[in-house]
């Protein structure tokens, strides 16, 4: 991989792109006054402005990765914050999976498999069980899971009841069982048009035994990203929610969907189930005000930690 990366860098000057080595495994690629730093074998791309002499390099832990900071526009700053939050969230999640000995992640609202692929990229090798109800996304999810024997996919949604329902589709990664709110329609043009698709919904406690089948001493983690429907998924676990050592839920400060719970209500429900917050990471912000729209909330059952007293 490193050899291929080096060959690509050697070809770039032919296209008017300048390549400068900053450190072993880290190169600067620049063109038209904009700079992109790529750490070979790492996850992050950073878009910067300004002369290299004005940059600040910050080591990221003991991984060998570096964060390079320079002069940024307001738009670049937003992109940097969101990219950093996503990266740090996945780093935190995989650290929690390791700390709590998680051996099965239930990926609810899997879409095209982005979350599962990030887990693999960050080093998680345990079982992943993904649930995606819509036709187009499930086809892409199935393709993504090919060749990974420890990644199962199921063509259904999860909710409070075993039933069928109509889901709004055509909203890309934001397909939802709930209609868009007035705020959501003002924020996203994609909500102005919609079509629906009938899907199957199952309760979480009805699929859990199948998901955990064959795992000795299962220690599952529940990831939910269902566009306002996470509490319905959670309710469908019933008493089996006690089997989970942790969860991740997208909680809303500013609600994009009618009927979705506010952040305080969702967090309170999870806390009542014995989970405690270990991390909160912004998913989206308003450009004009800087207000956070949604957070990825990571919670663990502290008493389930292997070294807990």
């Amino acid at each position: 991989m490193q050899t291929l990366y080096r060959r690509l860098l050697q070809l770039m000057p032919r296209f008017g792109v300048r390549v400068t080595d900053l450190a072993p495994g880290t190169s600067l690629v620049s063109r038209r006054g904009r700079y992109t730093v790529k750490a070979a074998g790492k996850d992050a791309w950073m878009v910067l402005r300004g002369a290299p002499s004005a940059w600040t390099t910050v080591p990221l832990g003991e991984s060998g990765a570096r964060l390079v900071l320079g002069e940024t526009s307001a738009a670049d700053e937003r992109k940097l914050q969101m990219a950093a939050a996503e990266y740090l969230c996945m780093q935190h999640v995989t650290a929690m999976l390791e700390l709590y000995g998680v051996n099965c992640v239930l990926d609810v609202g899997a879409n095209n498999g982005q979350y599962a692929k990030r887990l693999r990229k960050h080093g998680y090798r345990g079982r992943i069980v993904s649930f995606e109800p819509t036709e187009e996304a499930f086809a892409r999810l199935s393709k993504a899971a090919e060749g990974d024997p420890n990644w199962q996919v199921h063509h259904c949604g999860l909710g409070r009841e075993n039933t069928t329902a109509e889901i709004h589709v055509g909203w890309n990664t934001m397909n939802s069982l709930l209609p868009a709110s007035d705020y959501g329609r003002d924020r996203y043009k994609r909500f102005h048009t919609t079509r629906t698709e009938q899907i199957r919904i199952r309760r979480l406690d009805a699929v859990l035994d199948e998901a955990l089948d064959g795992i000795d001493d299962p220690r599952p983690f529940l990831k939910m990203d269902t566009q306002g429907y996470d509490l319905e998924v959670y309710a469908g676990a019933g008493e089996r929610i006690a089997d989970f050592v942790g969860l991740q839920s997208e909680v809303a400060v500013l609600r994009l969907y009618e009927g979705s719970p506010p952040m305080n209500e969702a967090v309170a429900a999870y806390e009542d189930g014995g989970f405690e917050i270990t991390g909160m990471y912004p998913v989206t912000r308003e450009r004009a005000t800087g207000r956070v729209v949604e957070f990825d909330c990571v919670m663990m059952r502290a008493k389930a930690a292997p070294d807990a007293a």
Side-chain angles (χ1 to χ4, degrees), residues 31-269:
R31 190 175 189 179
R32 296 196 184 104
R34 294 181 67 85
Y35 302 87
T36 300
V37 175
K38 171 71 166 67
K42 305 298 179 186
D43 299 304
W45 288 82
M46 299 298 177
V47 181
L48 309 169
R49 285 189 177 90
S53 60
W55 295 350
T56 300
T57 302
V58 182
L60 297 178
E62 300 178 355
S63 66
R66 294 176 175 84
L67 174 63
V68 184
L69 303 175
E71 300 173 10
T72 62
S73 68
D76 288 340
E77 179 68 18
R78 288 192 296 270
K79 292 177 182 177
L80 176 62
Q81 286 187 10
M82 293 301 98
E86 181 181 283
Y87 177 82
L88 292 172
C89 181
M90 292 308 298
Q91 287 284 90
H92 174 66
V93 168
T94 49
M96 291 299 97
L97 299 186
E98 181 178 0
L99 177 64
Y100 283 76
V102 170
N103 47 26
C104 183
V105 174
L106 276 75
D107 171 23
V108 185
N111 197 252
N112 302 335
Q114 300 95 317
Y115 185 84
K117 287 188 283 188
R118 290 187 196 120
L119 282 181
R120 291 294 190 236
K121 193 172 185 179
H122 283 259
Y124 174 71
R125 295 291 174 261
R127 181 179 296 178
I128 300 173
V129 183
S130 294
F131 298 86
E132 171 53 44
T134 65
E135 292 286 348
E136 292 183 6
F138 182 76
R140 291 190 288 269
L141 172 66
S142 298
K143 185 69 174 178
E146 288 181 356
D148 188 336
N150 217 14
W151 182 1
Q152 302 174 8
V153 297
H154 295 272
H155 191 193
C156 66
L158 298 185
R160 188 181 295 268
E161 299 178 353
N162 294 314
T163 186
T164 59
E166 298 287 327
I167 188 170
H168 297 274
V169 296
W171 294 348
N172 196 6
T173 59
M174 301 178 72
N175 294 336
S176 178
L177 282 152
L178 302 175
S181 66
D182 289 341
Y183 174 77
R185 283 189 291 272
D186 287 342
R187 180 175 174 83
Y188 292 107
K189 291 182 179 179
R190 70 184 70 179
F191 288 153
H192 293 180
T193 59
T194 187
R195 57 187 174 86
T196 59
E197 178 181 309
Q198 189 172 70
I199 62 169
R200 181 173 62 131
I201 297 176
R202 301 182 67 188
R203 284 180 56 91
L204 178 53
D205 56 12
V207 302
L208 191 55
D209 285 340
E210 180 183 355
L212 302 178
D213 185 46
I215 299 178
D216 295 331
D217 187 24
R219 296 179 65 80
F221 178 89
L222 176 62
K223 168 265 180 182
M224 298 173 287
D225 183 3
T226 59
Q227 306 306 309
Y229 211 68
D230 287 10
L231 269 190
E232 295 297 300
V233 174
Y234 183 85
E239 295 182 357
R240 295 295 301 273
I241 199 63
D243 293 1
F244 289 86
V245 300
L247 64 82
Q248 178 178 342
S249 176
E250 194 170 82
V251 295
V253 182
L254 302 171
R255 288 183 284 181
L256 298 172
Y257 305 94
E258 289 291 343
S260 63
M263 181 176 72
N264 61 339
E265 180 181 328
V267 171

